[in-house]
Structure formats: structure tokens, C-alpha cells
Amino acid sequence: MKVLLAIDGSSYSADAAGAVASHPWLPDTVVKVLTAVEPIIPTGPDIWFGVGGGETLELVRQEMTRQATQLVTGVAETMRASGMVVETAV
């Protein structure tokens, strides 16, 4: 069986992860923990393309991706500790 667990760092996501981790799954069950990074849409060129140019936008995107990866990795490690097979995706 495959289980998809979408998380966003909220308390509701933590509750959902706890419910999935405590459920008695079949032995071949694989849980995929994922989160999404919202795209950054500049409201105007002066915000993102002033000092630092497009590099600022890219740095923000990289930081958001790093935080999202850290989030799914933490939840996955907790689930693996209880013996589950877990994959992650951002």
C-alpha cells in the first residue's frame, strides 16, 4: 500500500503525521511525505530587481526549499524510527 502525507508545518500536519505513524499499516506500506514550495511572484520589478537583482529572488526561493526539505526530512525520520518505510518529496 502507498500512503501520501502532504504537510505544511502546521499543527494539523503534525496531527496527521502522528495519525499516520500510529496506524497499523500492512508490512509493505510505503509513506510518501511531501510539501510544496509556493512560487514567489514579484508584485513589481522594483521590489526584486533593485539591489541584488534577480539574485535576491533566487536566494529566497533556495531558502524556502531548504526549509521545506528540512520539514519533510524531520517528519520522515520520526516515522522511520517507528519502523515505517518513508520517501520524501519537495
Side-chain angles (χ1 to χ4, degrees), residues 42-51 56:
T43 57
D46 52 313
I47 294 173
W48 296 106
F49 299 108
V51 177
T56 302

Side-chain angles (χ1 to χ4, degrees), residues 1 23-30:
M1 176 178 286
H23 187 79
W25 299 104
L26 296 173
D28 61 343
T29 299
V30 176

